[in-house]
Amino acid sequence: MHGLMQDRPLTLPHVFHRAERIFGHKSILTATVDGESRVTYAQWAERVRRLATVLDTLGVSAEARVGSFAWNTQRHLELYFAVPCTGRVLHTLNIRLFAEQLQYIVEHAGDEIVFVERSLLPLIWPLADRLPGVRHWVVIDDGADTEIPDDPRVLDYEQLLAVAEPFDGRFTVEDEDTAAALCYTSGTTGNPKGVLYSHRSTVLHSLISLTADTLGLGERDRLLPVVPMFHVNAWGLPYAAVLCGADLVFPGPAMRPGALLGLIQRHRVTVTAGVPTIWLGAVPLLGDYDLSSLRMVLGGGSAVPKSLSEAWRTGAGLPITQAWGMTETSPLATVASPRSHHDGLGAAALAGVRASQGQAVPLVDLRIVDPESGAELPWDGTAFGELQASGPWIAAAYFGGGSDANSFTGDGWLRTGDVATIDAKGFVRLVDRTKDLVKSGGEWISSVELENEIMAHPDVVEAAVIAKPDERWSERPAACVVLAEGARLGTEDIVAHLTGRVAKWWLPDEVHFIDEVPKTSTGKFSKKALRERFYPSGVLPGA
Ligand code: AMP
């Protein structure tokens, strides 16, 4: 028997129209090169309507992919809604990609038009002649003094908006499974792969960010998304904020820790989100700002070291809340806030809970699987295997790439490429990326855990553990360590610090002291670069 409820599509037009009607007074602020600009939701909504007309006037086709190459700003948020609310697909381009990768993804996505920030023109305009499919390059003038090319393909965002009539009426997208946005994975191996979000997945994902045990985002919040809007749609937070009418504070191009902490202080930001590298850079400055308005600092994209979260707890009064996810999971899949069964735990044990990846959010199913036998493993907190995920905002296939057996199982689950344990209460602990595990004498060593322990040393800023090829053991751990300014430590100090904290056979064979851990375009440790630097001839599993 069927239920007798109305069948209404879950689409972004609903989110837009709701915000326009009831949150018109709420505010969207953007840091600019020479200050700050602020609009109300009502003003923003009117601009979204104008932008919708611009897309039609320029002849952008009905299901076009529309590229954005932009900072986190109010104007980027205009694209976030005008593009999908008119049935088109917003393709947020990662501004840190190399030229060849950029060219590849613009071509692969079939972008017809690209909106590019003036300051970012030098990174992408040189590709224009190699991208004949892109008919228009619309420059968003962010106040930089970069020269604007004199070329008929180049248009000005504000001029287009100024002459456009606002679209009149309600946006409609009939089918909730219509594509809304496209993000390519950072692709540490092989070509980047496109993840194509639908209206339905985006709305459901936004809704989950509003629930109390996840992020609990609400109308009273003032959200500062530091994670780039090209990285999994800033973790879906801009959509979630508009759904609940939260005030938004966008950092624009100013991503230095001091600028971000200044925004938090000045605008009494309540929730912010970014990768651990950003929060690490802010640690030395925490005492210089009033951060008392914050109720949540979200960290994810790579493991949040216990020492980092604790540094925030002591320096800013609140620890970092860790979340785990991937481009393929929209990304919110787990959140590590302590639950009632953790009540009564001491500070150290709670810090341990926060250093895990946490519990799956509602509607996401997880399992761990033995990669060899394919058998599902028990949730006992010790058995570890490949983490697989399933749910309404988890990719079923890649754009233009079909359903690839390395990425999806026969029964339609996503193979995350992460290795994890899950405890009896569903708390996930990531052990490693499949390809980063160190296999020594047939036994696995978790590089993530070893890094966490090394980073607990007060003189260590960052540590990345990689596998060093070894004749006897096949692989042994090697640590690449960045020391705090002025600190002097040798290999023996690191080993002495680790002794008693980890099993003896986990102690690294070599310690390389480096100036900086190389990072990928989304701010993760690039272990590939470290392996190439220190063990270029090493044949490593999955490398
Ligand atoms: P991306 O698709 O670029 O966001 O990368 C997703 C990958 O980042 C995951 O598969 C994990 O390996 C890693 N990752 C994301 N969040 C976390 C986290 N909280 N802890 C550890 N690794 C993470």
Side-chain angles (χ1 to χ4, degrees):
M1 189 187 281
H2 272 119
L4 291 171
M5 305 311 281
Q6 297 182 8
D7 184 11
R8 295 288 179 272
L10 304 176
T11 61
L12 288 169
H14 167 81
V15 178
F16 173 80
H17 290 298
R18 176 171 192 269
E20 183 181 47
R21 168 152 284 211
I22 63 185
F23 300 128
H25 59 292
K26 300 301 301 277
S27 132
I28 304 173
L29 179 134
T30 304
T32 59
V33 281
D34 50 4
E36 290 174 350
S37 73
R38 190 197 289 268
V39 293
T40 61
Y41 265 50
Q43 290 166 318
W44 163 82
E46 206 252 358
R47 289 170 56 88
V48 171
R49 289 178 173 277
R50 283 175 189 269
L51 182 53
T53 308
V54 167
L55 294 170
D56 291 341
T57 315
L58 291 177
V60 179
S61 67
E63 294 190 350
R65 266 73 66 205
V66 173
S68 65
F69 197 67
W71 305 111
N72 287 14
T73 66
Q74 165 218 319
R75 283 143 151 186
H76 207 165
L77 191 70
E78 289 161 10
L79 286 159
Y80 260 49
F81 280 84
V83 174
C85 286
T86 57
R88 301 172 174 104
V89 181
L90 182 66
H91 173 201
T92 49
L93 294 156
N94 182 337
I95 63 172
R96 301 201 197 99
L97 288 183
F98 293 121
E100 307 83 72
Q101 277 177 314
L102 255 182
Q103 184 180 339
Y104 173 85
I105 65 172
V106 173
E107 266 172 356
H108 189 269
D111 294 339
E112 282 180 30
I113 176 170
V114 174
F115 289 77
V116 49
E117 214 88 54
R118 182 170 179 180
S119 60
L120 299 173
L121 270 169
L123 300 176
I124 198 166
W125 177 249
L127 299 175
D129 287 341
R130 281 182 260 158
L131 292 168
V134 181
R135 289 184 290 120
H136 306 288
W137 296 84
V138 181
V139 177
I140 301 173
D141 194 343
D142 56 5
D145 52 12
T146 319
E147 199 181 321
I148 298 178
D150 182 15
D151 186 293
R153 289 169 292 179
V154 175
L155 303 164
D156 177 77
Y157 186 79
E158 288 303 327
Q159 278 176 14
L160 290 172
L161 253 64
V163 297
E165 285 293 323
F167 167 79
D168 191 18
R170 281 187 81 79
F171 293 116
T172 35
V173 172
E174 303 280 352
D175 178 356
E176 64 181 10
D177 290 320
T178 303
L182 175 63
C183 284
Y184 280 74
T185 58
S186 31
T188 42
T189 48
N191 277 324
K193 289 181 268 188
V195 178
L196 192 57
Y197 309 104
S198 64
H199 281 257
R200 173 187 158 85
S201 73
T202 308
V203 170
L204 287 173
H205 181 266
S206 306
L207 207 49
I208 219 65
S209 309
L210 273 44
T211 56
D213 285 341
T214 61
L215 313 186
L217 262 193
E219 187 268 341
R220 288 172 191 277
D221 276 314
R222 188 159 298 157
L223 174 76
L224 169 69
V226 175
V227 50
M229 286 168 85
F230 60 72
H231 185 200
V232 212
N233 293 324
W235 301 346
L237 293 169
Y239 288 121
V242 174
L243 179 62
C244 68
D247 286 328
L248 276 154
V249 176
F250 285 117
M255 297 292 283
R256 282 169 297 103
L260 299 172
L261 296 180
L263 281 175
I264 295 172
Q265 172 176 287
R266 261 196 317 287
H267 301 294
R268 308 293 298 156
V269 166
T270 60
V271 177
T272 184
V275 294
T277 315
I278 293 276
W279 302 140
L280 179 69
V283 167
L285 305 176
L286 291 178
D288 302 343
Y289 293 85
D290 173 5
L291 305 174
S292 57
S293 57
L294 283 174
R295 69 164 185 84
M296 181 178 274
V297 176
L298 198 64
S302 51
V304 178
K306 198 193 290 179
S307 52
L308 174 60
S309 188
E310 286 298 281
W312 269 76
R313 194 167 66 84
T314 44
L318 81 171
I320 296 177
T321 302
Q322 173 153 213
W324 166 85
M326 312 170 66
T327 307
E328 290 86 338
T329 66
S330 293
L332 204 58
T334 69
V335 180
S337 349
R339 299 283 178 242
S340 62
H341 69 278
H342 297 120
D343 287 355
L345 287 183
L350 280 176
V353 173
R354 290 189 213 100
S356 78
Q357 278 60 34
Q359 257 177 348
V361 301
L363 305 185
V364 167
D365 282 315
L366 297 176
R367 65 186 183 195
I368 39 173
V369 170
D370 182 323
E372 265 138 48
S373 67
E376 221 180 302
L377 296 168
W379 289 17
D380 59 9
T382 53
F384 65 85
E386 183 184 52
L387 186 60
Q388 299 184 348
S390 151
W393 51 85
I394 295 185
Y398 291 109
F399 177 58
S403 161
D404 148 12
N406 287 325
S407 308
F408 303 96
T409 63
D411 59 349
W413 287 53
L414 172 75
R415 300 185 58 185
T416 67
D418 287 326
V419 178
T421 63
I422 305 183
D423 75 11
K425 300 259 183 336
F427 270 72
V428 174
R429 195 171 284 276
L430 236 70
V431 175
D432 236 318
R433 292 289 296 161
T434 323
K435 61 183 182 350
D436 292 337
L437 270 170
V438 181
K439 195 164 197 181
S440 172
E443 296 291 336
W444 295 107
I445 295 175
S446 157
S447 67
V448 171
E449 204 173 323
L450 205 45
E451 286 158 7
N452 246 314
E453 294 300 346
I454 300 173
M455 285 192 266
H457 192 293
D459 287 337
V460 171
V461 179
E462 283 182 321
V465 169
I466 53 174
K468 159 184 168 298
D470 184 278
E471 267 186 24
R472 179 157 176 218
W473 302 106
S474 122
E475 289 176 358
R476 291 289 304 147
C480 305
V481 174
V482 181
L483 293 179
E485 226 174 281
R488 300 219 172 287
L489 294 183
T491 302
E492 52 307 334
D493 300 305
I494 300 292
V495 172
H497 163 77
L498 288 173
T499 305
R501 289 173 169 257
V502 299
K504 200 155 170 264
W505 59 278
W506 279 40
L507 295 174
D509 274 17
E510 277 180 12
V511 179
H512 305 282
F513 293 95
I514 55 178
D515 292 339
E516 197 185 341
V517 177
K519 309 280 185 332
T520 67
S521 61
T522 47
K524 298 176 204 296
F525 287 180
S526 174
K527 297 200 179 176
K528 190 164 161 246
L530 287 171
R531 285 192 290 254
E532 278 163 8
R533 174 167 164 197
F534 291 109
Y535 308 110
S537 56
V539 183
L540 302 173

